[in-house]
Amino acid sequence: MKMMMMIRRLPPTTITLTSAFSCRFTSPKFFPDQIIISSKSTPCYPRISLLATFCSASQVPDPIIEQDSSKRGPLKPGLYLVGTPIGNLEDITLRALRVLKSADVILSEDTRHSGKLLRHYNIRTPLLSYHKFNESQREQRVLRRLKEGEIVVLISDAGTPGISDPGAELAKLCVDENIPVIPIPGPCAVVAALSASGLDTDEFTFVGFLSKHGPSRRERLTASANEARTQIFYVPPHKFSQFLEESSLLFGDSRRCVMAREMTKIHEEFWRGTLGEAKVRFLNQQPKGEMTLLIEGRTNCLVETPSEDQLEHELGELISRGHTLSTAVKLVAEGASVKRKTLYSLALKKFGKQLEADDNSN
């Protein structure tokens, strides 16, 4: 009634609206596809008509992606490495969605996991499993399809394929065969964790997952402990306690670290402290979920001089694994603020007679 009274008070006028206004919401339930406000150009009181149409998400074409496709034209054949969300499905680019929709096939680390992402965005491109257990068998089949001019997309369960995930070997093969390899940038746990860590971001070393082989793992940690750059590791939850024990021995308990867990998900957590504090904090409580662990680089003011017992323990472990005395001294010296000459004297004192006896027995 109030509206009608207000309209009656308006003087006769001519209104012409030549543009349509549209809005789009990202609710998974429904999409208001279009709202049009219009009025005919007539000398009368303004008449406003509203036309609104609603339909389900599965029925709605994405105008942004379609518009972008029409401007850029069809995709060229080749291998597309597409970054996908590391947890939150909203963290995907418009370009990634366009490529996923346009591909002939999508290579996926886990088709069930990736299927959730595709269903969420109403993408019907066929999936083909491609993981570390079958990539050697799949490579030639994929190469054949690429040579026939198909658009092949490679995705991992989360993040960028080829980075601590399957895909690096396939990319190398394509480069060798002069097949285009096109990166589609997206979420990356390394960059996300580093940006929010509070540690130095100017220089960093991404180590990824450590080797399951003890000596190799220790050698990598020894090298990392001696670097001035921020060190970044992927750590499985069931290996977290072992990682803290081994890294604190080489980096020192006072070295600062950051644990980024379940990033972009509901239970996202950033824990900050020292390696020594982390050992105490997580001694009886194993964190759950995907973890990225960052350790600050070596600085002069924070370098701890290991005790003689610590040095002896490190040397003894390396020698027991088959390293020569000189190699063991070299490896320990790289991660400790002790001169190699001093360390060598200690090694001879503690292990010289044992090695000499071993040589005589052989």
Side-chain angles (χ1 to χ4, degrees):
M1 181 64 72
K2 290 182 179 180
M3 177 64 73
M4 293 302 297
M5 293 177 65
M6 290 176 64
I7 291 175
R8 287 195 185 104
R9 293 174 188 166
L10 292 172
T13 185
T14 297
I15 299 177
T16 303
L17 298 181
T18 58
S19 62
F21 300 86
S22 64
C23 62
R24 181 174 176 82
F25 302 87
T26 56
S27 167
K29 300 290 185 183
F30 62 87
F31 291 79
D33 180 53
Q34 197 175 44
I35 298 176
I36 301 174
I37 303 175
S38 65
S39 176
K40 293 183 178 179
S41 179
T42 54
C44 61
Y45 295 108
R47 183 180 62 169
I48 300 175
S49 64
L50 298 178
L51 171 63
T53 59
F54 302 89
C55 54
S56 68
S58 61
Q59 297 172 324
V60 178
D62 195 322
I64 299 176
I65 296 174
E66 288 187 350
Q67 211 172 55
D68 190 57
S69 298
S70 64
K71 287 181 180 179
R72 294 177 178 269
L75 299 175
K76 64 179 181 181
L79 176 67
Y80 288 76
L81 306 178
V82 177
T84 53
I86 58 176
N88 192 318
L89 293 183
E90 294 179 359
D91 295 335
I92 191 165
T93 68
L94 295 176
R95 187 182 176 206
L97 291 175
R98 181 170 71 93
V99 171
L100 289 170
K101 288 190 175 189
S102 304
D104 294 299
V105 66
I106 297 173
L107 306 180
S108 166
E109 190 176 1
D110 184 339
T111 54
R112 291 170 300 178
H113 180 86
S114 300
K116 297 175 184 177
L117 174 69
L118 300 189
R119 286 192 296 273
H120 184 80
Y121 288 104
N122 192 31
I123 297 171
R124 297 183 176 87
T125 307
L127 283 167
L128 179 66
S129 64
Y130 191 88
H131 45 73
K132 64 181 180 179
F133 299 109
N134 73 357
E135 60 180 333
S136 58
Q137 290 81 33
R138 290 265 199 249
E139 282 172 354
Q140 293 306 315
R141 179 180 171 185
V142 173
L143 279 176
R144 186 167 59 251
R145 297 184 67 163
L146 285 163
K147 289 177 180 179
E148 290 171 355
E150 290 195 9
I151 297 168
V152 177
V153 166
L154 176 64
I155 61 176
S156 64
D157 285 348
T160 303
I163 308 299
S164 288
D165 275 319
E169 289 304 316
L170 181 59
K172 290 177 185 176
L173 283 173
C174 288
V175 170
D176 291 341
E177 296 287 338
N178 293 317
I179 296 171
V181 179
I182 304 99
I184 308 298
C188 179
V190 178
V191 177
L194 181 63
S195 66
S197 67
L199 300 179
D200 183 36
T201 61
D202 290 338
E203 292 186 316
F204 62 93
T205 299
F206 172 58
V207 180
F209 291 105
L210 289 170
S211 171
K212 294 179 181 179
H213 185 240
S216 299
R217 185 173 64 249
R218 190 173 182 81
E219 286 178 28
R220 177 61 255 186
L221 284 172
T222 300
S224 290
N226 200 41
E227 286 197 29
R229 307 175 187 89
T230 300
Q231 303 293 297
I232 308 175
F233 304 87
Y234 285 159
V235 184
H238 63 284
K239 296 284 187 180
F240 190 55
S241 296
Q242 179 193 62
F243 178 88
L244 291 176
E245 287 292 339
E246 293 181 346
S247 60
S248 63
L249 181 65
L250 296 168
F251 285 80
D253 282 344
S254 64
R255 193 81 71 97
R256 288 192 303 157
C257 66
V258 177
M259 181 198 69
R261 185 180 69 87
E262 294 288 86
M263 285 185 292
T264 78
K265 299 179 184 178
I266 295 174
H267 301 293
E268 177 181 281
E269 176 188 10
F270 277 80
W271 184 91
R272 298 172 175 86
T274 65
L275 285 170
E277 291 168 344
K279 282 197 300 183
V280 174
R281 169 69 175 78
F282 299 106
L283 179 64
N284 298 314
Q285 182 183 351
Q286 178 179 294
K288 297 179 180 179
E290 301 294 331
M291 284 188 291
T292 303
L293 197 122
L294 307 90
I295 304 178
E296 72 174 342
R298 175 178 176 173
T299 56
N300 292 330
C301 60
L302 292 177
V303 172
E304 294 181 345
T305 301
S307 66
E308 189 170 302
D309 288 340
Q310 284 179 310
L311 294 172
E312 182 183 342
H313 176 73
E314 291 180 38
L315 288 167
E317 279 199 359
L318 291 170
I319 291 171
S320 67
R321 290 170 184 163
H323 290 286
T324 63
L325 188 140
S326 59
T327 301
V329 168
K330 180 183 176 182
L331 289 172
V332 174
E334 287 176 352
S337 56
V338 180
K339 292 181 179 180
R340 189 176 298 187
K341 184 177 179 180
T342 303
L343 201 54
Y344 197 81
S345 298
L346 175 65
L348 285 174
K349 177 183 174 183
K350 296 291 182 180
F351 305 102
K353 291 183 180 179
Q354 175 187 332
L355 292 173
E356 185 179 345
D358 291 342
D359 289 340
N360 291 333
S361 63
N362 293 331

